[in-house]
Amino acid sequence: MKDASPRTIYLKDYQAPDFAIDTTQLYFDLYEDYSEVTARLVISRSAENVVPQLVLDGQDLKLLSISINDCELAKDAYEIGEETLTLNFDKVIVEGFSQQNFILETKVRIEPQNNTSLEGLYKSRTMFCTQCEAEGFRKITYYLDRPDALSEFTTRIYADKSRYPVLLSNGNPVASGDLDGGRHWAEWHDPFKKPCYLFALVAGDLVAVDDEFKTQSGRDVLLRIFVEEKDRDKCDHAMRSLKNAMRWDEDVYGREYDLDIFMIVAVDDFNMGAMENKGLNIFNTSCVLANEKTTTDAGFQRVEGVVAHEYFHNWSGNRVTCRDWFQLSLKEGFTVFRDEEFSADMGSATVKRVEDVSLLRTNQFAEDASPMAHPVQPSSFIEISNFYTLTIYEKGAEVVRMIRTLLGPALFRKGSDLYFDRHDGCAVTIEDFIAAMADVSGRDFSHFMLWYQQAGTPKLKVTGDYNQTEKTYTLKVQQSCPATPESATKKPFLIPLDAALIGEQGRIAPSKVLEVSKEQETFVFHDVAERPVPSLLRGFSAPVNLDFAYSLDDLTRLMARDDDGFCRWDASQKMAIQVINNVIVSLANDPAPTVDKRYLDAFGEVLNQAITSLKNNDQTLDLAMIALMLQLPSEEYIAQQHSVVDVDSIHHARARVKRKLATTWYEEILAGYEYLNVPEIFAVDAASIARRTLKNTLLSYLVTSGREQAIDICALQLATATNMTDEIAALTALTHSASRYAVDQKGAALASFYSKWSDEALVVNQWFAVQATAPLPTTLNQVEELMKHPAFDANNPNKLRALVAGFCMRNPIAFHERKGKGYRFLADQIIQLNARNPQIAARLLTPLTRWRNYDEQRQGLMREQLKRISVTPKLSKDVFEVVTKSL
Ligand code: TRP
Ligand code: ZN
């Protein structure tokens, strides 16, 4: 909580700390109504000259005692501020004291049981746990809470033995013992110096699922996943993913794990997905627990990706860390790139790429076009928690990907080796990462650095010209980038444009990476025997908006003939968007516009291909790609292509096209569904996931037809499903259907699903989300009712994400209801959360920050709610920053 006008922090003001904390000894005394933390810090001056003060960070702490070299300090030797503890050296009267080298010991009292911000030390259900990134450690003890202060940590925990039999911290266990009064203690030592944001502590009644891993150099590592007893049967997938990630990092990056033990703890109350604390990762239960009965395929893949992501941070983040929080993408962008490539190698690479690009184009592009747009390396912030964004993570990963595209995989690996070796044990900058890439390749990256410095999504306007007599094909490329808050005019980016030419029978020349570096550029292809269709931005080679005037016939050719899977899928999406946009235009004066036959035919072509291959049991066709090509772009992605978003038209036009596809191809869709709807042994490999994805895509079309037969099929799938993927797909199709026949069955279906799964928190969250995302006028009332449901808990971020974020961020037609009831609902939630959990409150604000995208009436209603939030007393820094920047 903070004062009227919070301070902005600037990258240009960075200064190295005057002092180093060489070693940190922590003592935690945990009780039910308070806890005490003693910190014994061995401090040395790193500044050359004598300095007057040492300022430590600290927030919501009650200081009980403070000493230097074991002498209690006089009251005037230190000063306690809102967020600081200042030592005034000229008032320190301690024999033999020198600021060159001294021991500072503080003891503070905190109240973890009342800490609802889930930052610092807090209680999740029955256990104590910590979340220190980015600036949570200052809520535990007075410290240099900045990532460039690296220290060697020893941690001793004292707690009640029966309530908290398991006591964990970073590094290796050193010693433990029993105490009087039913208490016990354990001590941990982490030999690797680290910044305090990587500190972790856990105390709870947990069971361990164990395994082991032999590293490439032959060391044995104990792997332990700690969960509550009831979740013991949901750890296998995370364990398998962890071992795969450890092997992959050795094979692909030459990086080996460095401690004798690696631990994961699952907690229910967590602001984000997971946290890479050294040797002791703490995970949101939603990102670690999985089994076939309770977890969808998407859930399994998320667990695999997040387990790998946090593990990969051990090198990209922990061994080499960030100098300051402006460098956040140094660890996050690089680590996301690493986990994306890992998942691509574990499953279907093309499907993974399509999913990642979809997320980027739908959500990061929207962020980059919003008042919250910021560069991958921001130059200022008010609250760093607000910068754990799609831009830092996903766009940051795309920037690293472009570096690999420009250098090629071998040089890129040399560059990453040099980066890790050169900076091991250090806190560094994005420039250091780039310097390693430049040094191994001899390439000049100064122009490329604009990707880190300029916000906004560049637009590439491309035209193509075929010269029949010269047999040449000329691409004219023009780049531009819209203004963003930090800069009105942009310098041209260096854009790797991977391109190929597609003839009637397929690709007619090798693809090549064109380097677009100026505002306008021309590239000529020679010996082009026939009029080609260009395949552009292959594999999505740069995070840009591509504008090329493809005809429906061009797109049909790309869908059928392009050998780049991403471009084949993208052609299907471009086609769907053109057709939906045409319907939007026609809807203005024709209530029943037609859907372009060429699109219906292209869809039928893909569908029939799938049916033929299912009939012949032919394993060569990638069913996952088929499923992706049959899915329509989301309303959110379609909205991206419109300067003024007409929520209703987009929804109705898309629904109309979907219904037309469903009725035109009903028999074929049904046939495909029946081939796939056969008993199978459950597995989470790419082929099995592909079959389920296609089956449930087809189910969604069947139900969209509105036919009673289809709804009966859906109800039967719901009743007989043996895995959560099939079960939730059927529940969703039924719940989201507006047909009378479905409406009559919903209530009973939802009730029986709940009573079946009421003991499984993560399944109940899915049940909340299915209802919150129903595109129906009754949904807001339903959401308000569900907030009173005994299973809802407004202090649990997963529940808020399922219900509140589900409704406000994944249900455009209901959230943007014309009278603004959705906006008012969201503002009410944010105002309440502002005090309890500022990080989540600020995240939930996202949809309101996009008010400029809508019609005037909605703009007014959204701004009204933003203003209402802005005058809330005691606005947190988090909410303050987002509200003021977006108004
Ligand atoms: N570093 C974490 C990651 O792997 C992000 C994170 C976890 C986080 N918990 C947080 C960031 C709380 C801010 C606040 O990406
Ligand atoms: Zn991360």
Side-chain angles (χ1 to χ4, degrees), residues 809-870:
M809 299 187 184
R810 296 195 303 275
N811 192 349
I813 186 77
F815 174 65
H816 291 283
E817 173 279 332
R818 284 193 174 285
K819 296 240 169 64
K821 285 190 225 148
Y823 309 151
R824 201 169 327 119
F825 165 77
L826 178 54
D828 290 344
Q829 303 309 314
I830 291 165
I831 289 166
Q832 285 180 37
L833 266 171
N834 169 61
R836 291 207 312 271
N837 188 331
Q839 285 184 11
I840 300 292
R843 269 177 196 277
L844 283 176
L845 260 169
T846 308
L848 289 175
T849 66
R850 310 280 159 84
W851 59 271
R852 281 187 185 82
N853 301 348
Y854 300 91
D855 57 80
E856 244 171 76
Q857 188 190 337
R858 287 189 170 105
Q859 286 197 5
L861 292 165
M862 293 172 93
R863 288 187 67 191
E864 195 181 306
Q865 296 307 320
L866 278 173
K867 286 185 190 145
R868 218 184 113 214
I869 296 167
S870 76

Coordinates of all heavy atoms in Angstrom, one line a residue, residues 809-870:
M809 N -12.0 -11.8 -19.6 CA -11.0 -11.8 -20.6 C -11.2 -12.9 -21.6 O -10.5 -12.9 -22.7 CB -9.6 -12.1 -19.9 CG -9.2 -11.0 -18.9 SD -7.6 -11.3 -18.4 CE -7.4 -10.1 -17.1
R810 N -12.1 -13.8 -21.4 CA -12.3 -14.9 -22.4 C -13.8 -15.1 -22.8 O -14.2 -16.1 -23.3 CB -11.7 -16.2 -21.9 CG -10.2 -16.2 -21.6 CD -9.6 -17.5 -21.4 NE -10.2 -18.3 -20.4 CZ -9.8 -18.2 -19.1 NH1 -8.8 -17.3 -18.7 NH2 -10.4 -18.9 -18.1
N811 N -14.5 -14.0 -22.6 CA -15.9 -14.1 -23.0 C -16.4 -12.7 -23.5 O -17.2 -12.0 -22.9 CB -16.8 -14.5 -21.8 CG -18.2 -14.8 -22.2 OD1 -18.6 -14.6 -23.3 ND2 -18.9 -15.4 -21.2
P812 N -15.8 -12.2 -24.7 CA -16.0 -10.9 -25.1 C -17.5 -10.5 -25.3 O -17.9 -9.4 -24.8 CB -15.3 -10.8 -26.5 CG -14.9 -12.2 -26.8 CD -14.9 -13.0 -25.5
I813 N -18.3 -11.4 -25.8 CA -19.7 -11.0 -26.1 C -20.5 -10.7 -24.8 O -21.3 -9.8 -24.7 CB -20.4 -12.0 -27.0 CG1 -21.8 -11.6 -27.4 CG2 -20.5 -13.4 -26.3 CD1 -21.9 -10.6 -28.5
A814 N -20.2 -11.5 -23.7 CA -20.9 -11.2 -22.5 C -20.3 -10.1 -21.7 O -21.0 -9.3 -21.1 CB -20.9 -12.5 -21.6
F815 N -18.9 -10.0 -21.6 CA -18.3 -9.0 -20.9 C -18.6 -7.6 -21.4 O -18.8 -6.7 -20.6 CB -16.8 -9.2 -20.9 CG -16.0 -8.1 -20.2 CD1 -16.1 -7.9 -18.9 CD2 -15.1 -7.3 -21.0 CE1 -15.4 -6.8 -18.2 CE2 -14.4 -6.3 -20.3 CZ -14.6 -6.0 -19.0
H816 N -18.7 -7.5 -22.7 CA -18.9 -6.2 -23.3 C -20.4 -5.9 -23.5 O -20.7 -5.1 -24.4 CB -18.2 -6.0 -24.7 CG -16.7 -6.0 -24.5 ND1 -16.0 -4.9 -24.1 CD2 -15.7 -6.9 -24.7 CE1 -14.7 -5.1 -24.1 NE2 -14.5 -6.4 -24.4
E817 N -21.2 -6.5 -22.8 CA -22.7 -6.2 -22.8 C -22.9 -4.7 -22.8 O -22.2 -3.9 -22.1 CB -23.3 -6.9 -21.6 CG -24.8 -6.6 -21.4 CD -25.0 -5.3 -20.7 OE1 -24.2 -4.9 -19.9 OE2 -26.1 -4.7 -20.9
R818 N -23.8 -4.2 -23.7 CA -23.9 -2.8 -24.0 C -24.1 -1.8 -22.9 O -23.7 -0.7 -22.9 CB -25.1 -2.6 -25.0 CG -24.8 -3.0 -26.3 CD -25.9 -2.6 -27.3 NE -25.4 -2.9 -28.6 CZ -24.4 -2.2 -29.2 NH1 -23.8 -1.2 -28.7 NH2 -23.9 -2.6 -30.4
K819 N -24.8 -2.3 -21.8 CA -25.1 -1.3 -20.7 C -23.9 -1.2 -19.8 O -23.9 -0.3 -18.9 CB -26.3 -1.8 -19.9 CG -27.6 -1.9 -20.8 CD -28.6 -1.0 -20.1 CE -29.8 -0.8 -21.0 NZ -30.6 -2.1 -21.3
G820 N -22.9 -2.0 -20.0 CA -21.7 -1.8 -19.2 C -21.7 -2.6 -17.8 O -20.9 -2.3 -16.9
K821 N -22.6 -3.5 -17.7 CA -22.7 -4.3 -16.4 C -21.4 -5.1 -16.2 O -21.0 -5.2 -15.1 CB -23.9 -5.3 -16.5 CG -25.2 -4.6 -16.3 CD -26.3 -5.6 -16.1 CE -27.5 -5.3 -17.0 NZ -28.3 -6.5 -17.5
G822 N -20.9 -5.6 -17.3 CA -19.6 -6.4 -17.1 C -18.5 -5.5 -16.6 O -17.7 -5.9 -15.8
Y823 N -18.4 -4.3 -17.1 CA -17.4 -3.4 -16.7 C -17.5 -3.0 -15.2 O -16.5 -3.0 -14.5 CB -17.4 -2.1 -17.5 CG -17.4 -2.3 -19.0 CD1 -18.1 -1.4 -19.9 CD2 -16.9 -3.4 -19.6 CE1 -18.1 -1.5 -21.3 CE2 -16.9 -3.6 -21.0 CZ -17.5 -2.6 -21.8 OH -17.6 -2.8 -23.2
R824 N -18.8 -2.8 -14.8 CA -19.0 -2.4 -13.4 C -18.6 -3.6 -12.5 O -18.0 -3.5 -11.5 CB -20.4 -2.0 -13.2 CG -20.6 -1.2 -11.9 CD -22.0 -0.5 -11.8 NE -22.5 -0.2 -13.1 CZ -23.7 -0.6 -13.6 NH1 -24.4 -1.5 -12.9 NH2 -24.2 -0.2 -14.8
F825 N -19.0 -4.8 -12.9 CA -18.7 -6.0 -12.2 C -17.1 -6.1 -12.0 O -16.6 -6.3 -10.9 CB -19.2 -7.2 -12.9 CG -18.6 -8.6 -12.4 CD1 -19.1 -9.1 -11.3 CD2 -17.6 -9.2 -13.2 CE1 -18.5 -10.3 -10.8 CE2 -17.1 -10.4 -12.7 CZ -17.5 -11.0 -11.6
L826 N -16.4 -5.9 -13.1 CA -14.9 -6.1 -13.0 C -14.4 -5.0 -12.1 O -13.5 -5.3 -11.2 CB -14.3 -6.0 -14.4 CG -12.8 -6.1 -14.4 CD1 -12.3 -7.3 -13.7 CD2 -12.3 -6.0 -15.9
A827 N -14.8 -3.8 -12.2 CA -14.3 -2.7 -11.4 C -14.6 -3.0 -9.9 O -13.7 -2.8 -9.0 CB -14.9 -1.4 -11.7
D828 N -15.8 -3.5 -9.6 CA -16.1 -3.9 -8.2 C -15.0 -4.9 -7.7 O -14.5 -4.8 -6.5 CB -17.4 -4.6 -8.1 CG -18.6 -3.6 -8.3 OD1 -18.3 -2.4 -8.2 OD2 -19.7 -4.0 -8.6
Q829 N -14.7 -5.9 -8.5 CA -13.7 -6.9 -8.1 C -12.4 -6.3 -7.8 O -11.7 -6.6 -6.9 CB -13.6 -8.0 -9.2 CG -14.9 -8.7 -9.5 CD -15.7 -9.2 -8.3 OE1 -15.1 -9.8 -7.4 NE2 -16.9 -8.9 -8.3
I830 N -12.0 -5.4 -8.7 CA -10.6 -4.8 -8.6 C -10.5 -4.0 -7.4 O -9.5 -4.0 -6.7 CB -10.3 -4.0 -9.9 CG1 -10.1 -5.0 -11.1 CG2 -9.1 -3.2 -9.7 CD1 -10.1 -4.3 -12.4
I831 N -11.6 -3.2 -7.1 CA -11.5 -2.3 -5.9 C -11.4 -3.2 -4.7 O -10.6 -2.8 -3.8 CB -12.8 -1.4 -5.9 CG1 -12.7 -0.4 -7.0 CG2 -13.0 -0.7 -4.6 CD1 -14.0 0.4 -7.4
Q832 N -12.1 -4.3 -4.6 CA -11.9 -5.2 -3.5 C -10.6 -5.8 -3.4 O -10.0 -6.0 -2.3 CB -13.0 -6.3 -3.5 CG -14.4 -5.8 -3.1 CD -15.4 -6.9 -3.2 OE1 -15.1 -8.0 -2.8 NE2 -16.6 -6.6 -3.7
L833 N -10.0 -6.2 -4.5 CA -8.8 -6.9 -4.5 C -7.6 -6.0 -4.3 O -6.5 -6.4 -3.9 CB -8.6 -7.6 -5.9 CG -9.0 -9.0 -5.9 CD1 -8.9 -9.5 -7.4 CD2 -8.1 -9.9 -5.1
N834 N -7.7 -4.7 -4.6 CA -6.6 -3.8 -4.5 C -5.9 -3.9 -3.2 O -4.7 -3.9 -3.2 CB -7.2 -2.4 -4.7 CG -6.2 -1.3 -4.4 OD1 -5.1 -1.2 -5.0 ND2 -6.5 -0.5 -3.3
A835 N -6.6 -4.0 -2.1 CA -6.0 -4.1 -0.8 C -5.5 -5.5 -0.5 O -4.4 -5.7 0.1 CB -6.9 -3.6 0.3
R836 N -6.2 -6.5 -0.9 CA -5.9 -7.9 -0.6 C -4.7 -8.4 -1.4 O -3.8 -9.1 -0.9 CB -7.1 -8.8 -0.7 CG -8.2 -8.5 0.3 CD -9.0 -9.7 0.5 NE -9.4 -10.4 -0.7 CZ -10.6 -10.1 -1.4 NH1 -11.4 -9.2 -0.9 NH2 -10.9 -10.7 -2.5
N837 N -4.8 -8.3 -2.7 CA -3.8 -8.8 -3.6 C -3.6 -7.9 -4.8 O -4.2 -8.1 -5.9 CB -4.2 -10.2 -4.1 CG -3.1 -10.9 -4.8 OD1 -2.2 -10.3 -5.4 ND2 -3.0 -12.3 -4.7
P838 N -2.7 -6.9 -4.6 CA -2.5 -5.9 -5.6 C -2.0 -6.5 -7.0 O -2.4 -6.0 -8.0 CB -1.4 -5.0 -5.1 CG -1.4 -5.2 -3.6 CD -1.9 -6.6 -3.4
Q839 N -1.2 -7.5 -6.9 CA -0.7 -8.1 -8.2 C -1.8 -8.6 -9.1 O -1.9 -8.3 -10.3 CB 0.3 -9.2 -8.0 CG 1.6 -8.7 -7.5 CD 2.6 -9.9 -7.3 OE1 2.4 -11.0 -7.7 NE2 3.8 -9.6 -6.7
I840 N -2.7 -9.3 -8.4 CA -3.9 -9.9 -9.2 C -4.8 -8.8 -9.6 O -5.4 -8.8 -10.7 CB -4.6 -11.0 -8.4 CG1 -3.6 -12.1 -8.0 CG2 -5.8 -11.6 -9.1 CD1 -3.1 -13.0 -9.2
A841 N -5.0 -7.8 -8.7 CA -5.9 -6.7 -9.1 C -5.5 -6.0 -10.3 O -6.2 -5.8 -11.2 CB -6.0 -5.7 -7.9
A842 N -4.2 -5.8 -10.4 CA -3.6 -5.0 -11.5 C -3.7 -5.9 -12.8 O -4.0 -5.4 -13.9 CB -2.2 -4.6 -11.3
R843 N -3.5 -7.2 -12.7 CA -3.6 -8.0 -13.9 C -5.1 -8.1 -14.4 O -5.3 -8.1 -15.6 CB -3.2 -9.5 -13.5 CG -1.8 -9.7 -13.8 CD -1.3 -11.0 -13.4 NE 0.2 -10.8 -13.4 CZ 0.9 -10.8 -14.5 NH1 0.4 -11.1 -15.6 NH2 2.2 -10.5 -14.4
L844 N -6.0 -8.1 -13.5 CA -7.4 -8.2 -13.9 C -7.9 -6.9 -14.6 O -8.9 -6.9 -15.4 CB -8.3 -8.4 -12.7 CG -8.4 -9.8 -12.2 CD1 -9.2 -9.9 -10.9 CD2 -8.9 -10.8 -13.2
L845 N -7.1 -5.8 -14.4 CA -7.5 -4.6 -15.1 C -7.3 -4.6 -16.6 O -7.9 -3.8 -17.3 CB -6.5 -3.4 -14.6 CG -7.1 -2.5 -13.5 CD1 -5.9 -1.7 -12.9 CD2 -8.1 -1.6 -14.1
T846 N -6.5 -5.5 -17.1 CA -6.1 -5.6 -18.5 C -7.3 -5.2 -19.5 O -7.1 -4.3 -20.4 CB -5.5 -6.9 -18.9 OG1 -4.4 -7.1 -18.0 CG2 -5.0 -6.9 -20.3
P847 N -8.4 -5.9 -19.4 CA -9.5 -5.6 -20.4 C -9.9 -4.2 -20.4 O -10.3 -3.6 -21.5 CB -10.6 -6.6 -20.1 CG -10.3 -7.2 -18.8 CD -8.8 -7.0 -18.5
L848 N -10.0 -3.5 -19.3 CA -10.4 -2.1 -19.2 C -9.4 -1.2 -19.8 O -9.8 -0.1 -20.4 CB -10.7 -1.7 -17.8 CG -12.0 -2.3 -17.1 CD1 -12.1 -1.9 -15.7 CD2 -13.2 -1.9 -17.9
T849 N -8.1 -1.6 -19.8 CA -7.1 -0.7 -20.4 C -7.2 -0.6 -21.9 O -6.6 0.2 -22.6 CB -5.6 -1.2 -20.1 OG1 -5.4 -2.4 -20.8 CG2 -5.4 -1.4 -18.6
R850 N -8.0 -1.5 -22.5 CA -8.1 -1.6 -24.0 C -9.3 -0.7 -24.5 O -9.9 -1.0 -25.6 CB -8.3 -3.0 -24.4 CG -7.3 -4.0 -23.8 CD -5.9 -3.9 -24.6 NE -4.8 -4.4 -23.8 CZ -4.5 -5.6 -23.7 NH1 -5.1 -6.6 -24.3 NH2 -3.4 -6.0 -23.0
W851 N -9.8 0.2 -23.6 CA -11.1 0.9 -24.0 C -11.0 1.6 -25.3 O -12.0 1.7 -26.0 CB -11.5 1.9 -22.8 CG -10.4 2.9 -22.6 CD1 -9.4 2.8 -21.7 CD2 -10.3 4.3 -23.1 NE1 -8.6 4.0 -21.7 CE2 -9.2 4.9 -22.5 CE3 -11.1 5.0 -24.1 CZ2 -8.8 6.2 -22.9 CZ3 -10.7 6.3 -24.4 CH2 -9.6 6.9 -23.8
R852 N -9.9 2.1 -25.7 CA -9.8 2.8 -27.0 C -10.2 2.0 -28.2 O -10.5 2.5 -29.3 CB -8.4 3.4 -27.2 CG -8.1 4.6 -26.4 CD -6.7 5.2 -26.8 NE -6.4 6.3 -25.9 CZ -5.9 6.2 -24.7 NH1 -5.6 5.0 -24.2 NH2 -5.6 7.3 -24.0
N853 N -10.2 0.7 -28.1 CA -10.5 -0.2 -29.2 C -12.0 -0.3 -29.6 O -12.4 -0.8 -30.6 CB -10.0 -1.6 -29.0 CG -8.6 -1.7 -28.7 OD1 -7.8 -0.8 -28.9 ND2 -8.1 -2.9 -28.2
Y854 N -12.9 0.3 -28.7 CA -14.3 0.0 -28.9 C -15.1 1.3 -29.3 O -14.5 2.4 -29.4 CB -14.9 -0.5 -27.6 CG -14.2 -1.8 -27.2 CD1 -13.0 -1.9 -26.4 CD2 -14.6 -3.0 -27.8 CE1 -12.4 -3.1 -26.2 CE2 -13.9 -4.2 -27.6 CZ -12.8 -4.2 -26.8 OH -12.1 -5.4 -26.5
D855 N -16.4 1.1 -29.6 CA -17.2 2.2 -30.0 C -17.3 3.2 -28.9 O -17.0 3.0 -27.7 CB -18.6 1.7 -30.4 CG -19.2 0.9 -29.3 OD1 -19.8 1.5 -28.3 OD2 -19.1 -0.3 -29.3
E856 N -17.8 4.4 -29.2 CA -17.9 5.5 -28.3 C -18.6 5.2 -27.0 O -18.2 5.6 -25.9 CB -18.5 6.8 -28.9 CG -17.5 7.9 -29.1 CD -18.1 9.0 -29.9 OE1 -18.9 9.7 -29.4 OE2 -17.7 9.1 -31.1
Q857 N -19.7 4.5 -27.2 CA -20.6 4.3 -26.0 C -19.8 3.4 -25.0 O -19.7 3.6 -23.8 CB -21.9 3.6 -26.4 CG -22.8 3.4 -25.2 CD -24.0 2.5 -25.6 OE1 -24.3 2.4 -26.8 NE2 -24.6 2.0 -24.6
R858 N -19.2 2.3 -25.5 CA -18.4 1.4 -24.7 C -17.2 2.1 -24.1 O -16.9 1.9 -22.9 CB -18.0 0.1 -25.4 CG -19.2 -0.8 -25.7 CD -18.7 -2.1 -26.2 NE -19.8 -3.1 -26.3 CZ -20.4 -3.5 -27.4 NH1 -20.1 -3.0 -28.5 NH2 -21.4 -4.4 -27.3
Q859 N -16.5 2.9 -24.9 CA -15.4 3.7 -24.4 C -15.8 4.5 -23.2 O -15.1 4.4 -22.2 CB -14.9 4.7 -25.5 CG -14.2 4.1 -26.6 CD -13.4 5.1 -27.4 OE1 -13.3 6.3 -27.1 NE2 -12.8 4.7 -28.5
G860 N -16.9 5.1 -23.3 CA -17.4 5.9 -22.1 C -17.6 5.1 -20.9 O -17.2 5.5 -19.8
L861 N -18.3 4.0 -21.1 CA -18.6 3.1 -19.9 C -17.3 2.5 -19.3 O -17.2 2.4 -18.1 CB -19.5 2.0 -20.4 CG -21.0 2.5 -20.8 CD1 -21.7 1.4 -21.6 CD2 -21.8 2.9 -19.6
M862 N -16.4 2.2 -20.1 CA -15.2 1.6 -19.6 C -14.3 2.6 -18.9 O -13.8 2.3 -17.8 CB -14.3 0.9 -20.8 CG -15.0 -0.3 -21.4 SD -14.2 -0.9 -22.9 CE -13.1 -2.1 -22.2
R863 N -14.3 3.8 -19.4 CA -13.5 4.9 -18.8 C -14.1 5.2 -17.4 O -13.4 5.5 -16.5 CB -13.4 6.1 -19.7 CG -12.5 5.9 -20.8 CD -12.3 7.2 -21.6 NE -11.6 8.2 -20.8 CZ -11.5 9.5 -21.2 NH1 -12.0 9.9 -22.3 NH2 -10.8 10.3 -20.4
E864 N -15.4 5.2 -17.4 CA -16.1 5.6 -16.2 C -15.7 4.6 -15.1 O -15.4 5.0 -13.9 CB -17.6 5.4 -16.4 CG -18.6 6.0 -15.4 CD -20.0 5.6 -15.8 OE1 -20.4 6.0 -17.0 OE2 -20.7 5.0 -15.0
Q865 N -15.5 3.3 -15.4 CA -15.1 2.4 -14.4 C -13.6 2.6 -14.0 O -13.2 2.4 -12.8 CB -15.4 0.9 -14.8 CG -16.9 0.6 -15.0 CD -17.7 1.0 -13.8 OE1 -17.3 0.7 -12.6 NE2 -18.9 1.5 -14.0
L866 N -12.8 2.9 -15.0 CA -11.4 3.1 -14.7 C -11.3 4.3 -13.8 O -10.5 4.3 -12.8 CB -10.6 3.5 -16.0 CG -10.2 2.3 -16.8 CD1 -9.6 2.7 -18.2 CD2 -9.1 1.4 -16.1
K867 N -12.1 5.4 -14.0 CA -12.0 6.5 -13.1 C -12.5 6.2 -11.7 O -11.9 6.6 -10.7 CB -12.9 7.7 -13.7 CG -12.2 8.3 -14.9 CD -13.1 9.5 -15.4 CE -12.6 10.0 -16.7 NZ -13.7 10.5 -17.6
R868 N -13.5 5.4 -11.7 CA -14.0 4.9 -10.4 C -12.9 4.2 -9.6 O -12.6 4.4 -8.4 CB -15.1 4.0 -10.6 CG -16.2 4.1 -9.6 CD -17.3 3.0 -9.8 NE -17.3 2.1 -8.8 CZ -17.6 0.8 -8.9 NH1 -17.8 0.3 -10.1 NH2 -17.6 0.0 -7.9
I869 N -12.1 3.4 -10.3 CA -11.0 2.7 -9.6 C -10.0 3.7 -9.2 O -9.4 3.6 -8.1 CB -10.4 1.6 -10.6 CG1 -11.5 0.5 -10.9 CG2 -9.2 1.0 -10.0 CD1 -11.1 -0.4 -12.0
S870 N -9.7 4.6 -10.1 CA -8.6 5.6 -9.8 C -8.8 6.4 -8.5 O -7.8 6.9 -8.0 CB -8.3 6.5 -11.0 OG -9.3 7.5 -11.1

